[in-house]
Amino acid sequence: MAETGESSSTKGKESSSMAETGEPSAAAREVRELKKELQRVVTMILEDEDDNGIDILSESIRILSRLREMKLNRSAIIGMDTKIKSVLNELINNSTVSSPPLIMGDPFVSVSTEALDWMKSNEAELKSQEMMEKSRDLVNMLLHKLYCSFSDAKEAAKELKMVTKSQPACRAVFAEIPDSIKRLLGPISVTVNRSKFQLQEDLIKTVLNISTDDINKQHMGEHPIVIHVLTRALYYGTTETKRSAAMALVSLSSLESNKFIIGKSMAPTALLQLVRVGDPLAKMDAASAILSLCTVYQNIAEFNKLGAVQIVLRKIGRGILVDRLLRILAVLSSRQDTVFRDEEVDAFRRLIEHRRNTSSRHAEDICSAAMWFFTRR
């Protein structure tokens, strides 16, 4: 009882001191300002029609964390508008991340230490969501400039290429944006002349960048424009464009369903053409695409039908990309219906010669496999 009396006496002195000076303490002033700020933030939630809850929740976390640091007790939040408190509680409970542990007072909201810890621990996720929103807005803006403004298209294409290469979030949101493929490839979907070669190069590189995100592979593979534009890029454009197109096909074909889509298109013909007459690096990328597609039995039949065995044997005979093309030959030869022409006997002799002279054990094994399939005919 003595302690209680002493405490009451002390509080009385503090109140008396405050009354004498007419000025609240610095801590009390800060608490009052924080409460006003919190009311302002939550009022914004009530009036915000764009549902921009992430930024506002982050600000709420900052204010509540400061109040906790000041060891704010229940009386510090008395006087806040009940409606505003309920909205704050609803915002926290209905956020896209898991609900925090809240202790409900009557009739006020009392935010526990655990709740504040929860909000701090989820701040990284909230910032990640905010970054995704900003990335979506950026990509959407660049696509708009690319599709709707010819004068801005080249600049927008370069910037889009850079952000989809350097920022994973810009790749991840691509499939979520309405008409994103149409807007991206619209400028080069009809015709491409030399004046558009740089624009084409940047856009095909962007296709390659966004195809590396698994979220986009199905969306891109099933879109009627993508494979068509990539196929044409294998024929027309800079060497860098052709390489990017071939590697985009490699990337997209990592999804099994896309292998069938690509195999039924004109892409196999274009890839073989690139192996036949392309730049050495472009030949290598085209060969990689063929190998990726030929894990599907139907595609092996398609490449054989297009004369792939003859093209590959000629290149091996000239010493071009021998190891890689031997792998393709071994795969193509695995089908019983693969046809070898009489004039390919010389090529077969060169195959034996290469096996005899190679110093690579891996190349020797591949060569042996190709010879085995060859001799089964």
Side-chain angles (χ1 to χ4, degrees):
M1 291 296 291
E3 290 179 1
T4 304
E6 182 179 349
S7 175
S8 300
S9 175
T10 302
K11 289 181 180 178
K13 290 178 182 178
E14 289 177 354
S15 300
S16 175
S17 175
M18 183 180 293
E20 289 173 4
T21 62
E23 294 289 336
S25 67
R29 286 197 303 271
E30 184 175 358
V31 166
R32 188 167 60 192
E33 289 302 316
L34 286 170
K35 287 165 59 178
K36 288 180 180 179
E37 183 68 11
L38 189 58
Q39 287 180 329
R40 183 188 68 80
V41 169
V42 180
T43 300
M44 288 172 58
I45 300 170
L46 291 170
E47 299 175 350
D48 186 16
E49 296 180 355
D50 296 330
D51 195 25
N52 192 20
I54 293 175
D55 291 338
I56 300 174
L57 181 56
S58 297
E59 180 66 6
S60 302
I61 291 171
R62 183 190 69 78
I63 297 170
L64 291 170
S65 297
R66 177 58 183 151
L67 290 173
R68 185 189 66 169
E69 289 169 6
M70 298 175 70
K71 301 185 182 300
L72 188 64
N73 60 21
R74 175 175 173 142
S75 63
I77 61 172
I78 293 178
M80 231 194 293
D81 185 270
T82 304
K83 183 177 181 182
I84 292 178
K85 289 176 185 175
S86 66
V87 172
L88 175 61
N89 185 41
E90 182 179 353
L91 171 64
I92 296 172
N93 277 310
N94 293 336
S95 64
T96 55
V97 289
S98 57
S99 298
L102 291 180
I103 301 176
M104 301 301 296
D106 52 358
F108 309 111
V109 178
S110 175
V111 183
S112 68
T113 299
E114 289 81 4
L116 292 169
D117 289 341
W118 171 87
M119 287 188 283
K120 279 192 169 183
S121 68
N122 281 279
E123 191 168 8
E125 184 174 346
L126 293 169
K127 286 181 178 179
S128 174
Q129 293 175 10
E130 183 178 5
M131 181 181 294
M132 294 294 281
E133 287 292 337
K134 290 180 178 178
S135 298
R136 189 179 292 106
D137 291 342
L138 173 60
V139 173
N140 204 20
M141 181 268 292
L142 291 172
L143 288 173
H144 178 77
K145 289 173 63 177
L146 182 67
Y147 191 67
C148 299
S149 176
F150 180 78
S151 60
D152 295 334
K154 290 184 179 180
E155 179 185 349
K158 286 186 180 297
E159 190 171 351
L160 197 55
K161 177 184 70 174
M162 289 189 291
V163 299
T164 54
K165 180 179 180 180
S166 62
Q167 299 182 29
C170 287
R171 298 192 294 269
V173 300
F174 201 84
E176 302 173 8
I177 298 174
D179 294 326
S180 55
I181 297 296
K182 178 183 176 181
R183 294 157 69 191
L184 174 67
L185 298 179
I188 58 172
S189 63
V190 181
T191 58
V192 177
N193 51 42
R194 290 188 178 276
S195 66
K196 286 188 174 182
F197 272 7
Q198 186 58 55
L199 177 63
Q200 180 196 34
E201 181 178 315
D202 291 335
L203 294 181
I204 296 299
K205 184 68 174 180
T206 302
V207 172
L208 171 59
N209 292 341
I210 61 178
S211 72
T212 60
D213 195 304
D214 290 342
I215 296 174
N216 297 320
K217 292 184 190 296
Q218 183 175 358
H219 173 64
M220 296 175 71
E222 294 178 354
H223 197 285
I225 296 179
V226 175
I227 306 303
H228 169 73
V229 171
L230 290 176
T231 299
R232 189 168 55 192
L234 294 171
Y235 286 112
Y236 310 110
T238 65
T239 297
E240 191 61 31
T241 296
K242 294 175 182 178
R243 294 193 64 195
S244 295
M247 292 311 297
L249 290 173
V250 173
S251 178
L252 291 174
S253 64
S254 64
L255 183 66
E256 194 74 6
S257 60
N258 283 346
K259 295 180 192 289
F260 294 94
I261 296 171
I262 297 169
K264 293 176 181 177
S265 70
M266 296 300 295
T269 303
L271 288 169
L272 285 175
Q273 176 72 358
L274 198 55
V275 168
R276 194 171 68 84
V277 298
D279 172 272
L281 291 175
K283 289 179 190 288
M284 187 178 300
D285 293 331
S288 296
I290 292 172
L291 278 171
S292 181
L293 291 170
C294 282
T295 59
V296 171
Y297 206 56
Q298 292 90 323
N299 289 345
I300 296 175
E302 181 62 24
F303 278 107
N304 281 332
K305 179 182 175 182
L306 294 171
V309 170
Q310 292 74 42
I311 294 173
V312 168
L313 282 171
R314 290 192 197 104
K315 295 300 177 184
I316 292 173
R318 296 172 188 171
I320 299 172
L321 294 176
V322 174
D323 286 355
R324 189 162 301 202
L325 293 180
L326 278 173
R327 291 176 62 193
I328 294 177
L329 182 63
V331 172
L332 294 176
S333 304
S334 64
R335 279 189 63 114
Q336 292 290 329
D337 56 356
T338 303
V339 177
F340 293 93
R341 299 171 183 171
D342 293 339
E343 59 265 29
E344 287 157 9
V345 174
D346 287 339
F348 180 64
R349 292 198 185 101
R350 287 193 292 271
L351 200 60
I352 297 174
E353 192 71 18
H354 179 76
R355 182 183 181 281
R356 185 178 298 152
N357 297 331
T358 185
S359 59
S360 168
R361 179 54 184 260
H362 181 62
E364 182 180 348
D365 291 342
I366 295 173
C367 198
S368 297
M371 290 171 58
W372 184 79
F373 285 125
F374 194 103
T375 55
R376 287 198 307 161
R377 302 294 179 267

